[in-house]
Amino acid sequence: MFEPVIAPSGTLLGLLQRGRGDGTLHALAAPRAEALAALNLCVAGDPRQDWQVENRSLYYARLYLDLDGPLGEIEAHLLSVDDLVDEDDRRTGLALSVLGHLASYGRDDALMLLRRYAATGANWAWALDELALRDDDEGLRSLASPVLARFPATAEGEARLAAAVRDAYEPRPWCLWEEGPAYGERLRAARQQGSFDRWQRQLTPRGPQPGWGVQAVFDWAADGLRRGTPLHVPAARCLAAVATPEDRSAILAAAAGASGEAARATALHHLVLAEPENPAVLDLIEAAGDEPAVAAYERMCGPAAVERARRWVQRPDALGTAAGTLLAARGGIEDAPLVLGALRSTVRGSGPDSTPLFTLVDGAGRLRIDCAAPVLRHIYRETASSHLRGRAARALAATDPSFAAGFAVECLWDCEETTREVAARHAETADARVAPRLRRLAADPAEEEDVQSAVRSRIAPESAV
C-alpha cells in the first residue's frame, strides 16, 4: 500500500480525510454529488496515518446515512481486480468497517454486500468478523460452505483452517458452524489443533534461559541486532533479573561502548531504570547521543533527568527533542517557556504531524500555556492525525477561551470519540447546532458510552430522547 495523499485542509476532501467535524458540516452543505465523490474517495483510499488506531469508519458511515449514499463505489472497490492480487488488510478494512456500521443502522444493502464479500473476497475474515456482530444465525450459517471451501482437505489446508479458527477475532460464526452436522467434526478438530499449537508455542524455548548471566544477555541482544531485530529493551529487563552488584562495572563499561552497539543499548536501558539519579548515566547518554541512547533517556522521569532536560532542550538534535517532550510531560510551570519553544520549533522544523507533537501538545495543555493557543489551532487545522487533533482540542480547551464557541462545536462531529467527548463537555449551547447534535449523540446506539455520559451531563434527561 502507498501512503495516502492528503488534500489541503481547506478543501472538502481534505476535511473528510482528516475526519474533522467540519468535513461532515461542509459535506452536508455541498452539492450531494460532490460530497459523495469525496466520501467515496476517502473510503476507497484509506487516509489514516495509523489505520490500526485512528477511527474513521463510524464517521464515514454516519455521513453515508445523512447523504443517503449508495454503495456502488464501495462495491466496485471491494470486488475490483485488485482484490485478487492485493491481500493487504488496509486496502479493504476501512470499507468493510463502514459497511459494518451501516448494517448496524439497518442498511440491508450493506449487510448483503458484507455477506457477498465474506464469501468471495480476499479479506473475508474481516468481513466475517463484521457480520459476526450484526448478522443473524441464518445469514452466518449460509456462509459456512463458501468460507470452508477455502481450506482444502489436505494437511496444509487443515493447518490453515486451524489457524483461522484460532485467530478469529469473533468466534460466533465458527461456533455456529461447529454445532451443525455438516462441518462439526472438522471444525472441532481444527479448534483442538489450534489449542495444541498455542500450547506447543508456549513450550518452545525462545530467548533468555534460566542460568543466563550478563554476558549471555549481551550476546542475545547482539544476535538479535545481527538478525535485524533490536532486542535491547527486553534484554534490559533480563539484565535486571540476572545482574548482581559485582556486574556493575561490566555494565557501565558496556554502556560506554566497550562491548558493541547492542550491549551498549542494553546497558543504557538497564541503567536508566536501575540508577535513574546517577549523573554518570546521563553523561553516557549525552556522549552517545544516538537513537538507542535517546530512547533510553525517554524512559527516565526523575528530577535529575528533568534538570538535564532544561540544559538539553535547546539542542538541535534528537536528544534536544526528547528533552522538550520530557519537560512537557514532567516539567513544572517554570518550564512553560521551554515547552512552548520546543512546540513552536517542532512545528516549524517537522510540520504538524511529527511524533513529538503528541507529548508537546499535551504539555501545553497540562501547563496551561495560554500563548500556545495559536500554534495549537494551527496543529488542529493542519494535522492529518485524528489522534493528534484530539489532543490539540483537549489542550485548546485548557488554554483558549474561544474554544467552546469555536472548534468545540465542530468537534461534536469529529471521527474520534475522545474528541467528541471533549466537545460534549465544552461546546457552547448558544450555537443553534449544538443542542440538536447532543440529542442525536445521546440517542445513537453506536455512540460510545463516555461520549453519551458527557452529553448527559450537559442536557436535561427528558431532552435526551
Side-chain angles (χ1 to χ4, degrees):
M1 288 290 295
F2 294 102
E3 288 299 314
V5 176
I6 304 299
S9 61
T11 64
L12 174 59
L13 178 59
L15 290 170
L16 290 177
Q17 286 177 320
R18 289 167 172 79
R20 278 183 57 181
D22 255 5
T24 294
L25 298 175
H26 280 67
L28 295 176
R32 181 171 177 270
E34 178 185 344
L36 284 172
L39 178 58
N40 287 326
L41 281 174
C42 291
V43 175
D46 192 337
R48 292 171 290 183
Q49 280 196 336
D50 188 340
W51 68 280
Q52 294 180 309
V53 298
E54 291 189 38
N55 296 313
R56 293 289 190 282
S57 55
L58 180 59
Y59 173 83
Y60 293 143
R62 283 170 167 168
L63 189 51
Y64 270 110
L65 288 177
D66 291 338
L67 295 172
D68 193 23
L71 303 181
E73 292 295 325
I74 294 182
E75 181 178 2
H77 169 65
L78 290 176
L79 304 177
S80 71
V81 67
D82 290 340
D83 202 57
L84 301 175
V85 295
D86 187 355
E87 297 184 359
D88 189 341
D89 287 354
R90 180 169 176 174
R91 194 191 78 82
T92 54
L94 177 59
L96 294 172
S97 296
V98 169
L99 291 177
H101 284 299
L102 288 173
S104 294
Y105 283 119
R107 287 280 298 259
D108 289 338
D109 53 346
L111 186 67
M112 294 301 105
L113 183 52
L114 274 175
R115 287 179 183 173
R116 181 181 175 190
Y117 188 82
T120 62
N123 196 9
W124 60 271
W126 192 313
L128 188 61
D129 285 337
E130 296 290 342
L131 289 166
L133 297 172
R134 285 128 181 150
D135 208 352
D136 56 29
D137 288 357
E138 182 180 355
L140 291 175
R141 288 193 179 101
S142 70
L143 293 171
S145 180
V147 169
L148 293 174
R150 297 173 180 274
F151 306 98
T154 63
E156 181 184 355
E158 297 301 336
R160 287 172 44 225
L161 177 59
V165 174
R166 181 192 68 219
D167 298 335
Y169 187 74
E170 293 290 343
R172 180 178 163 227
W174 303 96
C175 294
L176 282 174
W177 302 340
E178 187 178 329
E179 293 171 358
Y183 306 105
E185 183 177 350
R186 187 184 185 197
L187 286 173
R188 280 190 291 273
R191 178 168 49 79
Q192 291 169 1
Q193 182 61 44
S195 299
F196 177 77
D197 291 343
R198 190 178 294 111
W199 171 77
Q200 195 171 39
R201 283 202 305 270
Q202 293 172 348
L203 292 182
T204 303
R206 295 178 180 178
Q209 300 294 310
W212 273 24
V214 168
Q215 189 57 50
V217 173
F218 288 156
D219 292 342
W220 179 57
D223 181 63
L225 189 61
R226 282 193 297 271
R227 291 184 282 107
T229 307
L231 296 173
H232 47 267
V233 175
R237 293 195 294 266
C238 296
L239 205 59
V242 303
T244 64
E246 290 75 21
D247 297 314
R248 184 174 182 274
S249 58
I251 293 173
L252 287 172
S259 302
E261 181 181 351
R264 179 173 60 82
T266 299
L268 283 175
H269 276 75
H270 166 73
L271 287 170
V272 297
L273 298 181
E275 303 180 23
E277 298 303 314
N278 185 351
V281 175
L282 291 163
D283 292 340
L284 289 168
I285 290 173
E286 185 173 16
D290 59 2
E291 182 179 349
V294 172
Y297 177 65
E298 289 174 337
R299 305 180 76 189
M300 303 182 75
C301 58
V306 173
E307 184 58 39
R308 195 67 66 100
R310 296 183 178 117
R311 290 168 40 189
W312 291 346
V313 69
Q314 303 295 340
R315 291 174 55 132
D317 57 9
L319 192 55
T321 300
T325 58
L326 181 61
L327 290 176
R330 301 288 179 179
I333 192 64
E334 67 275 15
D335 298 310
L338 296 176
V339 173
L340 177 60
L343 178 66
R344 287 171 171 167
S345 63
T346 301
V347 172
R348 285 195 301 266
S350 304
D353 292 315
S354 61
T355 301
L357 285 178
F358 285 77
T359 306
L360 291 170
V361 165
D362 288 347
R366 182 180 71 87
L367 297 173
R368 296 186 175 275
I369 308 174
D370 293 347
C371 51
V375 70
L376 291 173
R377 287 195 290 266
H378 172 76
I379 294 169
Y380 178 95
R381 292 188 189 98
E382 298 300 328
T383 183
S385 168
S386 55
H387 275 190
L388 180 55
R389 183 177 65 252
R391 291 180 184 230
R394 287 192 291 275
L396 284 168
T399 60
D400 186 1
S402 69
F403 175 73
F407 285 143
V409 176
E410 76 153 278
C411 285
L412 289 170
W413 284 265
D414 197 88
C415 67
E416 296 290 343
E417 64 267 17
T418 53
T419 307
R420 296 195 296 275
E421 180 185 353
V422 171
R425 298 190 185 281
H426 293 91
E428 177 56 64
T429 53
D431 190 304
R433 298 168 294 178
V434 171
R437 182 59 178 173
L438 290 175
R439 287 193 291 269
R440 180 172 177 180
L441 292 176
D444 191 337
E447 189 52 79
E448 294 292 331
E449 175 60 31
D450 288 345
V451 178
Q452 293 189 326
S453 295
V455 169
R456 286 192 291 269
S457 72
R458 296 291 306 282
I459 60 179
E462 61 270 17
S463 65
V465 296

